Amino acid sequence: MDREINNKALLTDLYELTMATCYYKYQMFAPATFSLFIREYPPHRGYFVSAGLEDVLCFLESFHFNQKDLDYLDNLGIFPKDFLHYLSTLRFTGDVFAIPEGRIFFKDEPILEITAPIIEAQLVEPFVINVINFQTTIATKASRCVYAARGRKLVDFSLRRTQGVDAGLKVARASYIVGFGGTSNVLAGKLYNIPVFGTMAHSFITSFKKEIDAFRAFSKIFPQNTVLLIDTYDTIIGAHKAAIIGKELLYQGKKLKGVRLDSGDMAPLSKEVRQVFKEAGLNNVMIFASGGFDEYKIAKVLEQGAEIDAFGVGTKMGVSADAPYTDIAYKLVEYDGRPVLKLSMGKKTLVGQKQVFRLKEKNNLQKDIIALRTEKLDGEPLLTPVMKEGKRLFHSEPLTKIRDRFQTEFAALDESYKRLENPAIYLVELGPALQKLQKQVVFKVREKELGES
Amino acid sequence: MDREINNKALLTDLYELTMATCYYKYQMFAPATFSLFIREYPPHRGYFVSAGLEDVLCFLESFHFNQKDLDYLDNLGIFPKDFLHYLSTLRFTGDVFAIPEGRIFFKDEPILEITAPIIEAQLVEPFVINVINFQTTIATKASRCVYAARGRKLVDFSLRRTQGVDAGLKVARASYIVGFGGTSNVLAGKLYNIPVFGTMAHSFITSFKKEIDAFRAFSKIFPQNTVLLIDTYDTIIGAHKAAIIGKELLYQGKKLKGVRLDSGDMAPLSKEVRQVFKEAGLNNVMIFASGGFDEYKIAKVLEQGAEIDAFGVGTKMGVSADAPYTDIAYKLVEYDGRPVLKLSMGKKTLVGQKQVFRLKEKNNLQKDIIALRTEKLDGEPLLTPVMKEGKRLFHSEPLTKIRDRFQTEFAALDESYKRLENPAIYLVELGPALQKLQKQVVFKVREKELGES
């Protein structure tokens, strides 16, 4: 079963294939441009972080149907044989413009635009949306955690509660590109070359007859790398036992790296634990906290003066619990040179091939302008060509490069847009030529389809 | 990269491997029992639907580290060579008891218990939790949509917004086992033998010069299977155009299958659309609705008298938007014959190997009793042996069988537990022997670890 998943061409919706059948039958092979954008900010979001492009490019470059896919489609009994034969040699031959991973973008801005024969651009829709939506959702959520932690180290602990194992890997990657220090997820560490971290579980403690036996056993095997979990029975009593281990290690010329708190009221507990170590003369024991953390809980405990040096951030970041999806759309904006749009209530699209220009004041982000790709405006263009005639134009980027790109741009974004609740709304305008074309097309469509004049 | 994901042994947290190193070094190979359960109901949930067991059994049966995994671990520089050598031949040799897929269960009840040498039971933790948590979350959410739809057909439309592509497949499967009619996800259709459905997209409409041209073109290619999307420009004007197509088809001895509404105020719009078709003498055109549906919106529009025959249910079901995770835990409850637990605040566990007994009154679920596996109580035991010494005890179940199991049990669950908001809390008691053992172990642990007496 897993082997099947590697060929992703069938990871599409049935209607893409029935529509493709029509395009094929009516010889509609003209180029179409689809634009991917997010219509609204989820609650408390004032920006997005671009993520997922790497997977999209891999997918497009290897796109094909194999014989088993075609056999399955044939068995459905709805597709003509000549269309299935056409699919057997179909590859993605289009051009892609996109905002690089790690950059900040805002609502309505095209994240990615695909121009390709309409069948190709249509069939890849669900996969492209899925990947960009999820990874952008998580990168954005994780960046809020990084912001809330104000320099403290964060580690991704989400694997066990992400929505599937693919999600577990992508969360490790997306959180790393926005500044997490690493992940507990070993496979993600291997696949993406991300630092891996870990402490110990309650099961380890309870498998020993006494808590302190478990502490001592672990520290003996990993003397350089022991973070003791101290809340299995009672956090403060656990801290005292950890202090005993810390002193034993010190006596051996070694050092207890840290302790982990995983339950209870973190601010007072962490302060009390710090005091226990101070009194024991152990001043460099790191206090690591986990258990239900997200940007809100991190900000809250730090406000309360929690003595926490690092956070394990799991479930709520890994599923972006307060905003588990975005209102993302992939819309046809041009077909055969003709700008198009739909008028559906509350779901308007911007016509034509577009570009986003970013204006700065001193070094700070000032405003963006969404324009036609042909418009020449001031500012830095955000969408760059990433694929030409089905071939990617650059190799996979090292995550450290994406990480640096994020860090630089995030630093240039005013604090008001990063507020955890009710962030300011960043100014995004439309370029003059886009405004004009949009008006013309809306007028024409209303006239033609609604009988208005 | 994808090929690597097929070997899932590294889909674990680093601490599982460091703890395993300690168990290995201290020759702790005794059997351990871990129990998987959900601590609390997410908002508005009063029951859970078991899902994911099939994937867990496949994973456990094929569990192994390959040479590349071991090379990666070796390169981390923290694991002793003899331990890595030990891992190279490690397989899962344990026993598993579990609640079959499609059954209803409640909070605190063990969904699955693994008894195996502690290293094996420990290493598989993140994968086992991940799979059961996600699929149970979705099956539960989807069952609420089925309940709200009161007999109307539902189709999974979530692929483009699920949290990753693995999630897209699992959502199609989980929603199907609780009664969805099928999915738009073609690969899920192929892998799980689930019926696939589709209509058409706005891009199809806008790629044609006129809406009615698009309608006519599609119905010509798929005369048996045309569901026209009518909201691209204006839903009611679209319905009139669809009625023209419907009459054309009728004239040819064919039949318009349906129309889809994807935006706007669904109750009044659907009634108006029904009227348009009635007036055109087209009485069997199905009205299909999509766009932001979940159990709450389905219930609301049906209360408002919406004339909707079927729903496409996407994002909010596919990510379980109002409850995207559960408070699930996998806890050591027995090691080397000794019952164990942790006392962490608000996170207590029930000791020992357990069973759940279900009592019925007439044919209705009355209450459950969580007991020690050795207790002999009235009622039907929910946990059944599914794996013995690493070998599964039954083949993959056909989804239709799981679907029937769900349907039968869901019918036996009182309406009060299914309410979409503030459901009643189902009665779950503890068996006498479990109560007694739990008290004894808590007393002993407090005495030993907290110095109480």
Side-chain angles (χ1 to χ4, degrees), chain B residues 149-173:
Chain B
R150 306 211 169 254
R152 284 162 194 85
K153 184 171 169 175
L154 303 178
V155 178
D156 161 40
F157 269 14
S158 67
L159 173 61
R160 65 191 55 196
R161 301 263 191 83
T162 56
Q163 296 201 342
V165 292
D166 171 35
L169 295 170
K170 303 312 178 193
V171 169
R173 183 183 186 276

PDB file of all heavy atoms in Angstrom, chain B residues 149-173:
ATOM      1  N   ALA B 149     -26.811  14.764   9.234  1.00  0.00           N
ATOM      2  CA  ALA B 149     -27.398  14.737   7.883  1.00  0.00           C
ATOM      3  C   ALA B 149     -28.675  13.903   7.817  1.00  0.00           C
ATOM      4  O   ALA B 149     -29.404  13.976   6.833  1.00  0.00           O
ATOM      5  CB  ALA B 149     -26.373  14.220   6.877  1.00  0.00           C
ATOM      6  N   ARG B 150     -28.949  13.117   8.848  1.00  0.00           N
ATOM      7  CA  ARG B 150     -30.200  12.354   8.973  1.00  0.00           C
ATOM      8  C   ARG B 150     -30.613  11.666   7.656  1.00  0.00           C
ATOM      9  O   ARG B 150     -31.696  11.884   7.129  1.00  0.00           O
ATOM     10  CB  ARG B 150     -31.321  13.257   9.482  1.00  0.00           C
ATOM     11  CG  ARG B 150     -30.928  13.963  10.790  1.00  0.00           C
ATOM     12  CD  ARG B 150     -32.076  14.238  11.716  1.00  0.00           C
ATOM     13  NE  ARG B 150     -31.591  14.660  13.035  1.00  0.00           N
ATOM     14  CZ  ARG B 150     -31.607  13.902  14.133  1.00  0.00           C
ATOM     15  NH1 ARG B 150     -32.071  12.673  14.082  1.00  0.00           N
ATOM     16  NH2 ARG B 150     -31.153  14.365  15.274  1.00  0.00           N
ATOM     17  N   GLY B 151     -29.702  10.867   7.159  1.00  0.00           N
ATOM     18  CA  GLY B 151     -30.035  10.046   6.010  1.00  0.00           C
ATOM     19  C   GLY B 151     -29.603  10.599   4.666  1.00  0.00           C
ATOM     20  O   GLY B 151     -29.570   9.883   3.678  1.00  0.00           O
ATOM     21  N   ARG B 152     -29.291  11.895   4.610  1.00  0.00           N
ATOM     22  CA  ARG B 152     -28.798  12.433   3.332  1.00  0.00           C
ATOM     23  C   ARG B 152     -27.377  11.937   3.080  1.00  0.00           C
ATOM     24  O   ARG B 152     -26.623  11.680   4.006  1.00  0.00           O
ATOM     25  CB  ARG B 152     -28.837  13.967   3.360  1.00  0.00           C
ATOM     26  CG  ARG B 152     -30.251  14.493   3.193  1.00  0.00           C
ATOM     27  CD  ARG B 152     -30.394  15.912   3.645  1.00  0.00           C
ATOM     28  NE  ARG B 152     -31.806  16.248   3.780  1.00  0.00           N
ATOM     29  CZ  ARG B 152     -32.524  15.990   4.869  1.00  0.00           C
ATOM     30  NH1 ARG B 152     -31.974  15.395   5.916  1.00  0.00           N
ATOM     31  NH2 ARG B 152     -33.802  16.331   4.903  1.00  0.00           N
ATOM     32  N   LYS B 153     -27.037  11.851   1.827  1.00  0.00           N
ATOM     33  CA  LYS B 153     -25.732  11.299   1.462  1.00  0.00           C
ATOM     34  C   LYS B 153     -24.613  12.317   1.682  1.00  0.00           C
ATOM     35  O   LYS B 153     -24.778  13.509   1.402  1.00  0.00           O
ATOM     36  CB  LYS B 153     -25.783  10.903  -0.015  1.00  0.00           C
ATOM     37  CG  LYS B 153     -24.530  10.234  -0.512  1.00  0.00           C
ATOM     38  CD  LYS B 153     -24.771   9.679  -1.909  1.00  0.00           C
ATOM     39  CE  LYS B 153     -23.487   9.230  -2.550  1.00  0.00           C
ATOM     40  NZ  LYS B 153     -23.765   8.583  -3.842  1.00  0.00           N
ATOM     41  N   LEU B 154     -23.475  11.840   2.165  1.00  0.00           N
ATOM     42  CA  LEU B 154     -22.307  12.694   2.375  1.00  0.00           C
ATOM     43  C   LEU B 154     -21.136  12.169   1.552  1.00  0.00           C
ATOM     44  O   LEU B 154     -20.948  10.962   1.431  1.00  0.00           O
ATOM     45  CB  LEU B 154     -21.914  12.693   3.851  1.00  0.00           C
ATOM     46  CG  LEU B 154     -22.977  13.130   4.852  1.00  0.00           C
ATOM     47  CD1 LEU B 154     -22.432  13.033   6.277  1.00  0.00           C
ATOM     48  CD2 LEU B 154     -23.420  14.561   4.566  1.00  0.00           C
ATOM     49  N   VAL B 155     -20.357  13.102   1.015  1.00  0.00           N
ATOM     50  CA  VAL B 155     -19.139  12.720   0.289  1.00  0.00           C
ATOM     51  C   VAL B 155     -17.970  13.500   0.872  1.00  0.00           C
ATOM     52  O   VAL B 155     -18.080  14.704   1.123  1.00  0.00           O
ATOM     53  CB  VAL B 155     -19.278  13.008  -1.224  1.00  0.00           C
ATOM     54  CG1 VAL B 155     -17.991  12.648  -1.947  1.00  0.00           C
ATOM     55  CG2 VAL B 155     -20.453  12.238  -1.828  1.00  0.00           C
ATOM     56  N   ASP B 156     -16.861  12.805   1.105  1.00  0.00           N
ATOM     57  CA  ASP B 156     -15.643  13.441   1.610  1.00  0.00           C
ATOM     58  C   ASP B 156     -14.993  14.278   0.516  1.00  0.00           C
ATOM     59  O   ASP B 156     -14.570  13.748  -0.512  1.00  0.00           O
ATOM     60  CB  ASP B 156     -14.676  12.343   2.084  1.00  0.00           C
ATOM     61  CG  ASP B 156     -13.244  12.853   2.197  1.00  0.00           C
ATOM     62  OD1 ASP B 156     -13.055  13.991   2.659  1.00  0.00           O
ATOM     63  OD2 ASP B 156     -12.307  12.103   1.820  1.00  0.00           O
ATOM     64  N   PHE B 157     -14.890  15.582   0.761  1.00  0.00           N
ATOM     65  CA  PHE B 157     -14.281  16.516  -0.203  1.00  0.00           C
ATOM     66  C   PHE B 157     -13.022  17.158   0.383  1.00  0.00           C
ATOM     67  O   PHE B 157     -12.649  18.245  -0.013  1.00  0.00           O
ATOM     68  CB  PHE B 157     -15.276  17.660  -0.497  1.00  0.00           C
ATOM     69  CG  PHE B 157     -16.196  17.434  -1.658  1.00  0.00           C
ATOM     70  CD1 PHE B 157     -16.355  16.187  -2.233  1.00  0.00           C
ATOM     71  CD2 PHE B 157     -16.910  18.497  -2.205  1.00  0.00           C
ATOM     72  CE1 PHE B 157     -17.208  15.992  -3.308  1.00  0.00           C
ATOM     73  CE2 PHE B 157     -17.766  18.313  -3.279  1.00  0.00           C
ATOM     74  CZ  PHE B 157     -17.910  17.066  -3.839  1.00  0.00           C
ATOM     75  N   SER B 158     -12.384  16.506   1.339  1.00  0.00           N
ATOM     76  CA  SER B 158     -11.385  17.231   2.148  1.00  0.00           C
ATOM     77  C   SER B 158      -9.965  17.222   1.625  1.00  0.00           C
ATOM     78  O   SER B 158      -9.120  17.947   2.147  1.00  0.00           O
ATOM     79  CB  SER B 158     -11.397  16.670   3.567  1.00  0.00           C
ATOM     80  OG  SER B 158     -10.917  15.342   3.563  1.00  0.00           O
ATOM     81  N   LEU B 159      -9.665  16.407   0.611  1.00  0.00           N
ATOM     82  CA  LEU B 159      -8.250  16.194   0.248  1.00  0.00           C
ATOM     83  C   LEU B 159      -7.400  17.451   0.190  1.00  0.00           C
ATOM     84  O   LEU B 159      -6.286  17.492   0.697  1.00  0.00           O
ATOM     85  CB  LEU B 159      -8.163  15.432  -1.087  1.00  0.00           C
ATOM     86  CG  LEU B 159      -6.748  15.283  -1.682  1.00  0.00           C
ATOM     87  CD1 LEU B 159      -5.829  14.514  -0.747  1.00  0.00           C
ATOM     88  CD2 LEU B 159      -6.800  14.590  -3.037  1.00  0.00           C
ATOM     89  N   ARG B 160      -7.900  18.511  -0.395  1.00  0.00           N
ATOM     90  CA  ARG B 160      -7.049  19.684  -0.610  1.00  0.00           C
ATOM     91  C   ARG B 160      -6.703  20.440   0.670  1.00  0.00           C
ATOM     92  O   ARG B 160      -5.792  21.269   0.662  1.00  0.00           O
ATOM     93  CB  ARG B 160      -7.699  20.634  -1.606  1.00  0.00           C
ATOM     94  CG  ARG B 160      -9.001  21.241  -1.127  1.00  0.00           C
ATOM     95  CD  ARG B 160      -9.692  21.932  -2.270  1.00  0.00           C
ATOM     96  NE  ARG B 160      -9.871  21.004  -3.370  1.00  0.00           N
ATOM     97  CZ  ARG B 160     -10.172  21.372  -4.613  1.00  0.00           C
ATOM     98  NH1 ARG B 160     -10.323  22.650  -4.903  1.00  0.00           N
ATOM     99  NH2 ARG B 160     -10.326  20.487  -5.552  1.00  0.00           N
ATOM    100  N   ARG B 161      -7.435  20.179   1.740  1.00  0.00           N
ATOM    101  CA  ARG B 161      -7.169  20.943   2.965  1.00  0.00           C
ATOM    102  C   ARG B 161      -6.797  20.085   4.165  1.00  0.00           C
ATOM    103  O   ARG B 161      -6.685  20.585   5.279  1.00  0.00           O
ATOM    104  CB  ARG B 161      -8.395  21.785   3.335  1.00  0.00           C
ATOM    105  CG  ARG B 161      -8.833  22.789   2.288  1.00  0.00           C
ATOM    106  CD  ARG B 161      -8.289  24.165   2.582  1.00  0.00           C
ATOM    107  NE  ARG B 161      -8.898  25.178   1.731  1.00  0.00           N
ATOM    108  CZ  ARG B 161     -10.074  25.770   1.958  1.00  0.00           C
ATOM    109  NH1 ARG B 161     -10.778  25.467   3.033  1.00  0.00           N
ATOM    110  NH2 ARG B 161     -10.550  26.680   1.134  1.00  0.00           N
ATOM    111  N   THR B 162      -6.619  18.781   3.980  1.00  0.00           N
ATOM    112  CA  THR B 162      -6.196  17.956   5.109  1.00  0.00           C
ATOM    113  C   THR B 162      -4.757  18.296   5.478  1.00  0.00           C
ATOM    114  O   THR B 162      -4.025  18.902   4.702  1.00  0.00           O
ATOM    115  CB  THR B 162      -6.286  16.461   4.772  1.00  0.00           C
ATOM    116  OG1 THR B 162      -5.512  16.201   3.602  1.00  0.00           O
ATOM    117  CG2 THR B 162      -7.727  16.034   4.556  1.00  0.00           C
ATOM    118  N   GLN B 163      -4.362  17.869   6.671  1.00  0.00           N
ATOM    119  CA  GLN B 163      -3.013  18.192   7.144  1.00  0.00           C
ATOM    120  C   GLN B 163      -2.028  17.166   6.578  1.00  0.00           C
ATOM    121  O   GLN B 163      -1.537  16.276   7.282  1.00  0.00           O
ATOM    122  CB  GLN B 163      -2.994  18.276   8.658  1.00  0.00           C
ATOM    123  CG  GLN B 163      -3.893  19.438   9.144  1.00  0.00           C
ATOM    124  CD  GLN B 163      -3.579  19.922  10.541  1.00  0.00           C
ATOM    125  OE1 GLN B 163      -2.934  19.232  11.328  1.00  0.00           O
ATOM    126  NE2 GLN B 163      -4.017  21.127  10.874  1.00  0.00           N
ATOM    127  N   GLY B 164      -1.709  17.336   5.306  1.00  0.00           N
ATOM    128  CA  GLY B 164      -0.809  16.421   4.621  1.00  0.00           C
ATOM    129  C   GLY B 164      -1.596  15.426   3.782  1.00  0.00           C
ATOM    130  O   GLY B 164      -2.823  15.304   3.912  1.00  0.00           O
ATOM    131  N   VAL B 165      -0.891  14.716   2.915  1.00  0.00           N
ATOM    132  CA  VAL B 165      -1.571  13.821   1.978  1.00  0.00           C
ATOM    133  C   VAL B 165      -1.917  12.481   2.621  1.00  0.00           C
ATOM    134  O   VAL B 165      -2.935  11.860   2.306  1.00  0.00           O
ATOM    135  CB  VAL B 165      -0.747  13.632   0.690  1.00  0.00           C
ATOM    136  CG1 VAL B 165      -0.706  14.933  -0.096  1.00  0.00           C
ATOM    137  CG2 VAL B 165       0.661  13.140   0.980  1.00  0.00           C
ATOM    138  N   ASP B 166      -1.082  12.030   3.545  1.00  0.00           N
ATOM    139  CA  ASP B 166      -1.403  10.839   4.336  1.00  0.00           C
ATOM    140  C   ASP B 166      -2.745  11.063   5.033  1.00  0.00           C
ATOM    141  O   ASP B 166      -3.649  10.207   5.000  1.00  0.00           O
ATOM    142  CB  ASP B 166      -0.262  10.646   5.339  1.00  0.00           C
ATOM    143  CG  ASP B 166      -0.529   9.589   6.390  1.00  0.00           C
ATOM    144  OD1 ASP B 166      -1.183   8.591   6.069  1.00  0.00           O
ATOM    145  OD2 ASP B 166      -0.064   9.771   7.525  1.00  0.00           O
ATOM    146  N   ALA B 167      -2.901  12.241   5.613  1.00  0.00           N
ATOM    147  CA  ALA B 167      -4.167  12.581   6.271  1.00  0.00           C
ATOM    148  C   ALA B 167      -5.326  12.521   5.282  1.00  0.00           C
ATOM    149  O   ALA B 167      -6.409  12.023   5.609  1.00  0.00           O
ATOM    150  CB  ALA B 167      -4.075  13.970   6.906  1.00  0.00           C
ATOM    151  N   GLY B 168      -5.113  12.993   4.056  1.00  0.00           N
ATOM    152  CA  GLY B 168      -6.165  12.966   3.046  1.00  0.00           C
ATOM    153  C   GLY B 168      -6.687  11.560   2.811  1.00  0.00           C
ATOM    154  O   GLY B 168      -7.900  11.339   2.698  1.00  0.00           O
ATOM    155  N   LEU B 169      -5.767  10.604   2.767  1.00  0.00           N
ATOM    156  CA  LEU B 169      -6.175   9.208   2.562  1.00  0.00           C
ATOM    157  C   LEU B 169      -6.920   8.672   3.777  1.00  0.00           C
ATOM    158  O   LEU B 169      -7.959   8.004   3.652  1.00  0.00           O
ATOM    159  CB  LEU B 169      -4.940   8.339   2.289  1.00  0.00           C
ATOM    160  CG  LEU B 169      -4.195   8.669   0.983  1.00  0.00           C
ATOM    161  CD1 LEU B 169      -2.869   7.927   0.925  1.00  0.00           C
ATOM    162  CD2 LEU B 169      -5.062   8.319  -0.222  1.00  0.00           C
ATOM    163  N   LYS B 170      -6.398   8.948   4.951  1.00  0.00           N
ATOM    164  CA  LYS B 170      -7.009   8.409   6.168  1.00  0.00           C
ATOM    165  C   LYS B 170      -8.390   9.014   6.423  1.00  0.00           C
ATOM    166  O   LYS B 170      -9.267   8.347   6.972  1.00  0.00           O
ATOM    167  CB  LYS B 170      -6.106   8.663   7.383  1.00  0.00           C
ATOM    168  CG  LYS B 170      -4.699   8.104   7.276  1.00  0.00           C
ATOM    169  CD  LYS B 170      -4.627   6.674   6.823  1.00  0.00           C
ATOM    170  CE  LYS B 170      -3.177   6.217   6.704  1.00  0.00           C
ATOM    171  NZ  LYS B 170      -3.034   4.956   5.993  1.00  0.00           N
ATOM    172  N   VAL B 171      -8.562  10.266   6.056  1.00  0.00           N
ATOM    173  CA  VAL B 171      -9.868  10.903   6.230  1.00  0.00           C
ATOM    174  C   VAL B 171     -10.905  10.220   5.334  1.00  0.00           C
ATOM    175  O   VAL B 171     -12.029   9.948   5.761  1.00  0.00           O
ATOM    176  CB  VAL B 171      -9.807  12.417   5.927  1.00  0.00           C
ATOM    177  CG1 VAL B 171     -11.211  13.015   5.853  1.00  0.00           C
ATOM    178  CG2 VAL B 171      -8.976  13.140   6.979  1.00  0.00           C
ATOM    179  N   ALA B 172     -10.509   9.925   4.113  1.00  0.00           N
ATOM    180  CA  ALA B 172     -11.441   9.239   3.200  1.00  0.00           C
ATOM    181  C   ALA B 172     -11.863   7.905   3.815  1.00  0.00           C
ATOM    182  O   ALA B 172     -13.040   7.543   3.823  1.00  0.00           O
ATOM    183  CB  ALA B 172     -10.772   9.010   1.845  1.00  0.00           C
ATOM    184  N   ARG B 173     -10.896   7.187   4.361  1.00  0.00           N
ATOM    185  CA  ARG B 173     -11.187   5.876   4.955  1.00  0.00           C
ATOM    186  C   ARG B 173     -12.042   6.014   6.218  1.00  0.00           C
ATOM    187  O   ARG B 173     -13.054   5.329   6.394  1.00  0.00           O
ATOM    188  CB  ARG B 173      -9.861   5.167   5.283  1.00  0.00           C
ATOM    189  CG  ARG B 173     -10.028   3.763   5.841  1.00  0.00           C
ATOM    190  CD  ARG B 173      -8.657   3.169   6.204  1.00  0.00           C
ATOM    191  NE  ARG B 173      -8.751   1.780   6.617  1.00  0.00           N
ATOM    192  CZ  ARG B 173      -9.041   1.366   7.842  1.00  0.00           C
ATOM    193  NH1 ARG B 173      -9.313   2.263   8.793  1.00  0.00           N
ATOM    194  NH2 ARG B 173      -9.079   0.084   8.141  1.00  0.00           N
TER     195      ARG B 173
END
